[in-house]
Amino acid sequence: PVVVDGRRFPSVPVQATVQSLVAISPASLARSLADVLSPDTARRLTEAGPGLIPAETLGEYGLAARLDTQTLSVVVEIPALLRRAAAVSLAPTDAFDGAERVYPGRVSAGVTAALLVTDQLDGESDPVGQVSVAGFANVGGAKGINLDYSGVWQVNGDNQTFDRGPIVLFKDDPERALRYSAGDLAAILPRLGGSANLLGAGYQRTFLDLQPDRNIRPTGRRSFVVERQSVIEVYANGALISRFTAQPGPVDLGDIPLADLNNQVTIVVEDALGRRELDSFSLSSDLALLAPGLSEFAVNAGVLRNEGDAEFSYTSRPVVAGFYTRGVSENLTVSGHGAWSEPVALAGASVAFGGLRGVVQAEAGASRSDAAGSGFSVGFSYRGGAIFDADRNDSLAVRVEYASRDFASLSDPDSQNEVEWDAGVDYRFDVGERTSLSVGGGWISRYDAGDQWFASAGVSRRVERLVVSAVARAGRTSDGRDNSGLFFTISRPLGRDAFASVSHDTASRSTRVDYVSNRRPSVPDFSYRASVTDRNGATDLTASALYSETRFEAEAGVVTPVGVEDATETVTARLQTGLAFVDGAIGVSRDPGRGFVLFRKHPTLSRARLEIESGAGEQVLAQTGPFGTAVAPTRNPYRAEEMRIDLTRAPVGYDYGPSTYVVEAGARTGVKVTVGSDSYRTRVALLTFEGRPVSLSYGRLTNLRTGEEKSFFTNRAGRAAFSDLAPGRYRAFVESIGAVLEFEVAERDGPFTDVGTVQMERAP
């Protein structure tokens, strides 16, 4: 067989020793690699003929080939310019040529646990310990029943508490993008409707990934909710401008300095389980169009949660909430939403139109609440690109919203609305290949406070490997404070996964210097960060390091205040690991609590080493070790993901089967793959019949114990290779000449056996 980039192709005639490739058929190679080689390269190989040529002669055609002594396959290297041009479609595809698909097991479970210890080195405070647990159980695979759960134990001196997280039982119908759920749910409506936590049942259709326990839930007006204590990082212009710890609950983006300086503020959240979620917030609303005839909807019903209680306790107040969105045409999508509960009833609608080189959305809502009475809200949004000059890569975002004082939403039904007008605009464009400019502004009018406004203009330029940006801002807060100043950053990438940056804000008189090596999904991985932050003379020195491997993550950090009287140094340490179970197989992994893929070696490969790589082969997702299995966390539920295996230290000639797998994981599932089998032996023989070689013949090989049949071929000399043999008795039959051969494969036989010349008998 021929292997290119980990993919197996049809076999070709070769001459080889056990250790090296001697000669190969160029015409056969052209036929085997017809889908990969450029037409010109394939033509030149075909013209060279079907006979064998020295392997080194392939260099004249720009190719290189070698023998993989472990799998007895021919590995061919093809330069990019000699490959067939690929026609790439950006539409989703399930096509993975040459790969075997694997699916979730019937019964699986995974749990991730992380121990976090925080200690203030003041000699008085006790260390604070926290054990976070998150996991799932699944019966029936991707279409089966899923149970999702989480919880946190807190230990502070003699005080111990346990706070459970959401518990959700759900079943998915991936073909129709439907989910049926029950338990601790979040009813999330379009922006004007808000959101509510409830105990009840839900029914929804969504074409996005189904993630019931996301760390970040958009709730409109540039705010989000964190489910667990998390470290939050805020980036603007690619530079880190703020890093802080948030307790469970809502976080308003308006409280984060410089949030309005850029219409693309990126939020990174890392909770106690080391999980990172990314979300970007824009001045424009989340404008989206559905394809014609497609619909998305969600309906939730139950009783409201006591929002002021950290525990999952519930009121007796019923609530029903839902929305429906329909793609009417390629350029028109309509949506409606509604909710009813004892404190508030509301309804709304929106229309999104594709035009004016972007997407325009108009929305309106009305409410009736016990606290505020009747109210309404309207909004207009626009987001587009190539507005004035496509060559300038310009983009424009506009948002205007109005809400009456008595308008209420599910998120805040018990008080009157505070914001009357909320408007913003942002325009940016490129000036050449290295420079981009931006201008923007915003205005917020409040009922019980003064107006808040800002205007900004910025420039960003690449100078060699440096990215330099500056934003001038003028503005005033609602309490009358001046918010004018200059914010600038200088950042430089350091390799592919690290960067250094310096930033300064004259308004808050704060300066920040960062050196960051970002964490990667590959293992083993070592990442770290060091930063110096100064605000009005108070300086913090921060450093942390994280080590990840297949079975665990370990992290340590320290924050040292400088220039602050009576300040104490704080150290943290985190250790995370988890257990994975699927159809009788058990493994240890760094984060199997949201789904996993477990690769285990067949007992015949006990001494071999197994690595699981991403489809591109640049990331090692998991490795085997003392615990025997390689467990990789699920990264793409309901999206086919290509994984490759790299097997080393296997017996010479061992045929371990497919080298590439396509994983079809569900929302909360475990997938099991066994690498290798008892059928790893190959037997080679020179077949003769009535004194002559059995040349260029086709035959059938039958396992006399199982009845399984497979084909075999002989070359011009009569040589045949019988592969994938397990211990047992076999019968080889060449029908064209009526010749038969029976032979035995013993348990003690090695992966590769050359039995020499064998005489076939006439079939009875």
Side-chain angles (χ1 to χ4, degrees):
V2 177
V3 176
V4 176
D5 300 334
R7 291 172 51 193
R8 288 199 171 196
F9 293 86
S11 298
V12 299
V14 300
Q15 180 183 354
T17 68
V18 176
Q19 296 181 338
S20 63
L21 179 67
V22 177
I24 190 170
S25 168
S28 297
L29 188 62
R31 287 193 298 271
S32 176
L33 300 178
D35 294 336
V36 179
L37 293 172
S38 67
D40 181 65
T41 304
R43 176 185 55 78
R44 293 176 58 208
L45 289 172
T46 301
E47 291 175 351
L52 301 182
I53 63 172
E56 58 269 18
T57 306
L58 284 179
E60 300 175 4
Y61 301 90
L63 309 178
R66 62 178 176 82
L67 181 70
D68 186 330
T69 58
Q70 292 189 339
T71 62
L72 291 184
S73 58
V74 177
V75 179
V76 180
E77 297 179 3
I78 309 174
L81 294 178
L82 300 185
R83 298 189 179 222
R84 180 180 293 274
V88 179
S89 171
L90 297 182
T93 177
D94 290 332
F96 291 91
D97 297 333
E100 180 173 320
R101 292 180 178 269
V102 290
Y103 300 91
R106 292 194 57 80
V107 179
S108 59
V111 59
T112 301
L115 171 62
L116 177 65
V117 178
T118 304
D119 190 11
Q120 293 185 340
L121 304 181
D122 55 7
E124 299 178 359
S125 303
D126 292 327
V128 177
Q130 174 180 300
V131 178
S132 299
V133 175
F136 77 94
N138 169 270
V139 178
K143 297 182 180 181
I145 303 296
N146 306 275
L147 177 66
D148 203 47
Y149 61 90
S150 62
V152 178
W153 283 273
Q154 296 272 5
V155 179
N156 186 357
D158 296 331
N159 298 322
Q160 298 185 21
T161 60
F162 173 75
D163 297 325
R164 77 169 181 88
I167 298 176
V168 180
L169 186 71
F170 66 96
K171 175 180 172 58
D172 291 342
D173 183 349
E175 281 78 11
R176 296 190 292 169
L178 294 176
R179 167 166 289 179
Y180 310 86
S181 54
D184 304 305
L185 305 180
I188 301 177
L189 299 180
R191 292 184 319 112
L192 296 182
S195 63
N197 293 308
L198 58 94
L199 176 65
Y203 173 55
Q204 68 176 5
R205 168 178 288 160
T206 174
F207 296 102
L208 300 175
D209 292 341
L210 302 176
Q211 297 287 343
D213 65 344
R214 292 184 63 201
N215 287 332
I216 302 175
R217 298 201 309 269
T219 58
R221 272 209 178 86
R222 294 168 312 210
S223 64
F224 56 92
V225 174
V226 293
E227 303 289 0
R228 292 177 286 275
Q229 178 177 308
S230 304
V231 175
I232 299 177
E233 296 178 347
V234 185
Y235 291 84
N237 293 327
L240 180 67
I241 63 174
S242 183
R243 188 172 192 264
F244 59 92
T245 300
Q247 299 300 318
V251 178
D252 187 351
L253 195 60
D255 295 336
I256 300 176
L258 306 169
D260 293 321
L261 285 182
N262 193 298
N263 77 321
Q264 296 259 339
V265 176
T266 302
I267 308 298
V268 180
V269 173
E270 182 170 358
D271 66 10
L273 294 172
R275 296 169 179 171
R276 298 167 70 88
E277 302 284 352
L278 289 160
D279 214 341
S280 295
F281 296 84
S282 170
L283 286 175
S284 62
S285 60
D286 294 330
L287 308 181
L289 294 174
L290 284 179
L294 290 184
S295 299
E296 290 187 336
F297 56 82
V299 178
N300 292 276
V303 292
L304 289 171
R305 177 182 171 184
N306 283 313
E307 295 297 344
D309 190 350
E311 300 290 335
F312 276 78
S313 62
Y314 292 89
T315 69
S316 59
R317 297 183 296 180
V319 59
V320 178
F323 71 86
Y324 180 83
T325 303
R326 177 78 173 179
V328 179
S329 67
E330 291 185 356
N331 296 314
L332 180 64
T333 295
V334 298
S335 178
H337 68 268
W340 173 86
S341 67
E342 281 190 9
V344 64
L346 57 90
S350 67
V351 176
F353 173 74
L356 303 176
R357 299 188 178 182
V359 179
V360 180
Q361 179 172 284
E363 49 193 336
S367 67
R368 177 76 173 91
S369 68
D370 296 340
S374 300
F376 71 95
S377 179
V378 293
F380 168 84
S381 302
Y382 170 80
R383 183 177 63 211
I387 308 300
F388 302 109
D389 188 349
D391 295 335
R392 295 296 184 185
N393 192 32
D394 63 337
S395 63
L396 175 66
V398 180
R399 185 199 73 250
V400 180
E401 296 177 10
Y402 171 81
S404 66
R405 184 177 179 84
D406 39 20
F407 177 72
S409 69
L410 276 179
S411 302
D412 187 15
D414 297 324
S415 62
Q416 290 187 317
N417 180 49
E418 297 181 359
V419 177
E420 181 180 13
W421 287 95
D422 188 351
V425 60
D426 183 277
Y427 178 67
R428 56 191 56 244
F429 59 96
D430 293 341
V431 181
E433 296 181 355
R434 295 177 174 269
T435 305
S436 63
L437 302 178
S438 64
V439 293
W443 173 58
I444 297 178
S445 173
R446 303 178 186 273
Y447 284 103
D448 296 325
D451 292 353
Q452 176 180 335
W453 65 272
F454 80 93
S456 66
V459 59
S460 178
R461 179 172 177 80
R462 285 189 296 113
V463 182
E464 298 298 333
R465 299 197 66 189
L466 293 178
V467 179
V468 182
S469 63
V471 180
R473 171 189 178 115
R476 187 170 297 277
T477 64
S478 58
D479 58 3
R481 290 183 295 107
D482 181 73
N483 198 23
S484 302
L486 177 67
F487 174 69
F488 68 87
T489 65
I490 301 176
S491 62
R492 186 185 190 279
L494 303 171
R496 186 173 57 179
D497 302 305
F499 71 90
S501 68
V502 179
S503 63
H504 179 72
D505 178 25
T506 62
S508 61
R509 290 184 293 179
S510 61
T511 303
R512 186 180 188 99
V513 180
D514 287 279
Y515 183 88
V516 178
S517 171
N518 292 316
R519 63 184 299 185
R520 302 172 300 168
S522 183
V523 294
D525 178 56
F526 178 71
S527 59
Y528 51 88
R529 68 167 59 244
S531 63
V532 180
T533 305
D534 180 87
R535 180 184 292 268
N536 290 326
T539 304
D540 284 341
L541 307 179
T542 304
S544 63
L546 169 68
Y547 178 75
S548 301
E549 69 108 60
T550 299
R551 312 194 195 290
F552 71 90
E553 287 185 355
E555 183 176 14
V558 59
V559 178
T560 303
V562 178
V564 179
E565 189 175 353
D566 296 330
T568 61
E569 192 172 42
T570 302
V571 296
T572 60
R574 181 175 66 89
L575 179 63
Q576 174 180 313
T577 188
L579 287 175
F581 170 85
V582 52
D583 291 348
I586 298 177
V588 179
S589 175
R590 62 189 180 279
D591 187 15
R594 292 187 293 182
F596 58 88
V597 186
L598 184 150
F599 287 81
R600 67 172 184 175
K601 299 178 297 183
H602 190 267
T604 55
L605 289 172
S606 58
R607 298 182 179 180
R609 177 181 174 84
L610 181 65
E611 287 189 348
I612 310 304
E613 301 174 345
S614 67
E618 297 179 352
Q619 298 176 343
V620 177
L621 304 179
Q623 302 170 320
T624 55
F627 293 92
T629 57
V631 185
T634 296
R635 300 191 299 174
N636 299 299
Y638 296 116
R639 292 182 182 179
E641 181 176 6
E642 190 175 35
M643 293 186 179
R644 297 171 52 200
I645 63 175
D646 183 13
L647 190 67
T648 57
R649 300 202 296 265
V652 174
Y654 191 106
D655 185 358
Y656 59 84
S659 59
T660 303
Y661 293 88
V662 175
V663 177
E664 301 270 8
R668 296 289 187 272
T669 55
V671 179
K672 182 177 70 173
V673 179
T674 301
V675 179
S677 68
D678 275 331
S679 303
Y680 66 85
R681 299 163 178 84
T682 297
R683 179 166 293 192
V684 176
L686 186 63
L687 303 181
T688 61
F689 179 63
E690 296 181 347
R692 297 181 179 181
V694 182
S695 303
L696 303 175
S697 297
Y698 161 82
R700 295 193 306 275
L701 181 68
T702 304
N703 186 323
L704 297 180
R705 183 177 62 86
T706 65
E708 179 184 0
E709 285 191 352
K710 62 182 67 177
S711 301
F712 70 89
F713 300 87
T714 63
N715 66 4
R716 190 177 301 276
R719 194 173 179 84
F722 306 112
S723 59
D724 300 331
L725 302 179
R729 189 162 185 80
Y730 292 83
R731 183 175 185 266
F733 177 59
V734 180
E735 186 176 7
S736 60
I737 58 176
V740 66
L741 170 69
E742 291 192 7
F743 61 91
E744 188 86 20
V745 175
E747 189 76 42
R748 63 178 180 277
D749 289 345
F752 182 82
T753 305
D754 189 340
V755 298
T757 301
V758 178
Q759 177 69 34
M760 301 188 74
E761 304 292 336
R762 181 170 295 279

Short mmCIF file of all heavy atoms in Angstrom, two decimals, residues 436-460:
data_model
loop_
_atom_site.label_atom_id
_atom_site.label_comp_id
_atom_site.label_asym_id
_atom_site.label_seq_id
_atom_site.Cartn_x
_atom_site.Cartn_y
_atom_site.Cartn_z
N SER A 436 -4.21 51.02 9.47
CA SER A 436 -5.66 51.09 9.50
C SER A 436 -6.09 52.21 10.44
O SER A 436 -5.42 52.49 11.43
CB SER A 436 -6.27 49.75 9.95
OG SER A 436 -5.86 49.45 11.27
N LEU A 437 -7.21 52.85 10.10
CA LEU A 437 -7.74 53.95 10.89
C LEU A 437 -9.14 53.59 11.37
O LEU A 437 -9.85 52.79 10.74
CB LEU A 437 -7.81 55.24 10.06
CG LEU A 437 -6.49 55.75 9.47
CD1 LEU A 437 -6.73 57.01 8.65
CD2 LEU A 437 -5.47 56.02 10.57
N SER A 438 -9.56 54.21 12.48
CA SER A 438 -10.91 53.98 12.99
C SER A 438 -11.42 55.25 13.66
O SER A 438 -10.65 56.01 14.25
CB SER A 438 -10.93 52.83 14.00
OG SER A 438 -10.17 53.15 15.14
N VAL A 439 -12.72 55.47 13.52
CA VAL A 439 -13.39 56.57 14.21
C VAL A 439 -14.69 56.01 14.77
O VAL A 439 -15.30 55.10 14.20
CB VAL A 439 -13.67 57.77 13.29
CG1 VAL A 439 -12.37 58.43 12.86
CG2 VAL A 439 -14.47 57.34 12.07
N GLY A 440 -15.12 56.54 15.89
CA GLY A 440 -16.34 56.03 16.47
C GLY A 440 -16.84 56.93 17.58
O GLY A 440 -16.20 57.91 17.97
N GLY A 441 -18.01 56.58 18.08
CA GLY A 441 -18.59 57.35 19.17
C GLY A 441 -19.77 56.63 19.76
O GLY A 441 -20.31 55.69 19.17
N GLY A 442 -20.19 57.07 20.93
CA GLY A 442 -21.34 56.47 21.58
C GLY A 442 -22.01 57.45 22.52
O GLY A 442 -21.37 58.40 23.02
N TRP A 443 -23.31 57.22 22.75
CA TRP A 443 -24.07 58.11 23.64
C TRP A 443 -25.11 57.28 24.37
O TRP A 443 -25.82 56.47 23.77
CB TRP A 443 -24.75 59.21 22.82
CG TRP A 443 -25.70 60.06 23.60
CD1 TRP A 443 -25.42 60.81 24.70
CD2 TRP A 443 -27.09 60.25 23.34
NE1 TRP A 443 -26.53 61.48 25.15
CE2 TRP A 443 -27.59 61.15 24.32
CE3 TRP A 443 -27.96 59.77 22.37
CZ2 TRP A 443 -28.91 61.55 24.36
CZ3 TRP A 443 -29.29 60.18 22.40
CH2 TRP A 443 -29.75 61.06 23.40
N ILE A 444 -25.17 57.45 25.70
CA ILE A 444 -26.16 56.77 26.53
C ILE A 444 -26.87 57.82 27.37
O ILE A 444 -26.23 58.61 28.08
CB ILE A 444 -25.50 55.72 27.44
CG1 ILE A 444 -24.85 54.63 26.62
CG2 ILE A 444 -26.54 55.12 28.39
CD1 ILE A 444 -24.13 53.58 27.45
N SER A 445 -28.19 57.82 27.28
CA SER A 445 -29.01 58.72 28.07
C SER A 445 -29.76 57.90 29.11
O SER A 445 -30.44 56.93 28.78
CB SER A 445 -30.01 59.46 27.17
OG SER A 445 -30.92 60.22 27.94
N ARG A 446 -29.63 58.30 30.40
CA ARG A 446 -30.25 57.56 31.50
C ARG A 446 -31.36 58.40 32.14
O ARG A 446 -31.30 59.64 32.17
CB ARG A 446 -29.20 57.20 32.56
CG ARG A 446 -28.04 56.38 32.02
CD ARG A 446 -27.02 56.09 33.11
NE ARG A 446 -25.83 55.43 32.59
CZ ARG A 446 -25.71 54.12 32.43
NH1 ARG A 446 -26.71 53.33 32.78
NH2 ARG A 446 -24.61 53.60 31.94
N TYR A 447 -32.36 57.69 32.68
CA TYR A 447 -33.49 58.39 33.29
C TYR A 447 -33.12 59.03 34.62
O TYR A 447 -33.58 60.12 34.94
CB TYR A 447 -34.65 57.41 33.49
CG TYR A 447 -35.39 57.09 32.21
CD1 TYR A 447 -35.18 55.88 31.55
CD2 TYR A 447 -36.28 58.00 31.65
CE1 TYR A 447 -35.85 55.59 30.37
CE2 TYR A 447 -36.95 57.72 30.47
CZ TYR A 447 -36.74 56.51 29.83
OH TYR A 447 -37.40 56.23 28.66
N ASP A 448 -32.30 58.36 35.42
CA ASP A 448 -31.99 58.84 36.76
C ASP A 448 -30.57 59.34 36.90
O ASP A 448 -30.07 59.50 38.01
CB ASP A 448 -32.24 57.74 37.78
CG ASP A 448 -33.70 57.33 37.84
OD1 ASP A 448 -34.56 58.21 37.66
OD2 ASP A 448 -33.97 56.13 38.05
N ALA A 449 -29.87 59.57 35.79
CA ALA A 449 -28.49 60.04 35.85
C ALA A 449 -28.21 60.86 34.60
O ALA A 449 -29.01 60.91 33.66
CB ALA A 449 -27.52 58.86 35.96
N GLY A 450 -27.04 61.50 34.58
CA GLY A 450 -26.68 62.31 33.44
C GLY A 450 -26.33 61.48 32.23
O GLY A 450 -26.17 60.26 32.29
N ASP A 451 -26.21 62.18 31.11
CA ASP A 451 -25.84 61.50 29.87
C ASP A 451 -24.38 61.06 29.92
O ASP A 451 -23.54 61.64 30.62
CB ASP A 451 -26.05 62.42 28.67
CG ASP A 451 -27.51 62.72 28.42
OD1 ASP A 451 -28.35 62.09 29.10
OD2 ASP A 451 -27.81 63.57 27.57
N GLN A 452 -24.10 60.01 29.17
CA GLN A 452 -22.74 59.48 29.05
C GLN A 452 -22.40 59.43 27.57
O GLN A 452 -23.18 58.95 26.75
CB GLN A 452 -22.68 58.07 29.66
CG GLN A 452 -21.35 57.36 29.51
CD GLN A 452 -21.38 55.98 30.15
OE1 GLN A 452 -22.17 55.73 31.06
NE2 GLN A 452 -20.52 55.10 29.67
N TRP A 453 -21.23 59.96 27.19
CA TRP A 453 -20.88 59.97 25.77
C TRP A 453 -19.36 59.81 25.59
O TRP A 453 -18.59 60.02 26.52
CB TRP A 453 -21.34 61.27 25.10
CG TRP A 453 -20.65 62.50 25.62
CD1 TRP A 453 -21.01 63.27 26.69
CD2 TRP A 453 -19.44 63.08 25.10
NE1 TRP A 453 -20.14 64.29 26.88
CE2 TRP A 453 -19.16 64.21 25.90
CE3 TRP A 453 -18.58 62.78 24.04
CZ2 TRP A 453 -18.05 65.03 25.69
CZ3 TRP A 453 -17.48 63.58 23.81
CH2 TRP A 453 -17.23 64.69 24.62
N PHE A 454 -18.98 59.44 24.39
CA PHE A 454 -17.56 59.39 24.05
C PHE A 454 -17.41 59.51 22.54
O PHE A 454 -18.33 59.21 21.76
CB PHE A 454 -16.90 58.09 24.53
CG PHE A 454 -17.15 56.91 23.63
CD1 PHE A 454 -16.25 56.59 22.62
CD2 PHE A 454 -18.29 56.14 23.78
CE1 PHE A 454 -16.49 55.50 21.79
CE2 PHE A 454 -18.52 55.06 22.96
CZ PHE A 454 -17.62 54.72 21.96
N ALA A 455 -16.27 59.97 22.12
CA ALA A 455 -15.88 59.99 20.70
C ALA A 455 -14.42 59.59 20.64
O ALA A 455 -13.62 59.98 21.50
CB ALA A 455 -16.10 61.38 20.10
N SER A 456 -14.05 58.81 19.64
CA SER A 456 -12.68 58.31 19.57
C SER A 456 -12.20 58.25 18.13
O SER A 456 -12.99 58.16 17.19
CB SER A 456 -12.57 56.92 20.20
OG SER A 456 -13.29 55.98 19.43
N ALA A 457 -10.90 58.32 17.98
CA ALA A 457 -10.24 58.15 16.68
C ALA A 457 -8.94 57.41 16.93
O ALA A 457 -8.21 57.72 17.87
CB ALA A 457 -9.98 59.50 16.02
N GLY A 458 -8.67 56.41 16.11
CA GLY A 458 -7.49 55.59 16.34
C GLY A 458 -6.75 55.24 15.08
O GLY A 458 -7.29 55.32 13.97
N VAL A 459 -5.50 54.87 15.24
CA VAL A 459 -4.66 54.43 14.14
C VAL A 459 -3.86 53.22 14.60
O VAL A 459 -3.42 53.15 15.75
CB VAL A 459 -3.72 55.57 13.66
CG1 VAL A 459 -2.82 56.04 14.80
CG2 VAL A 459 -2.88 55.10 12.47
N SER A 460 -3.68 52.26 13.70
CA SER A 460 -2.88 51.07 13.98
C SER A 460 -1.95 50.84 12.80
O SER A 460 -2.40 50.91 11.63
CB SER A 460 -3.78 49.86 14.19
OG SER A 460 -3.01 48.69 14.41
#
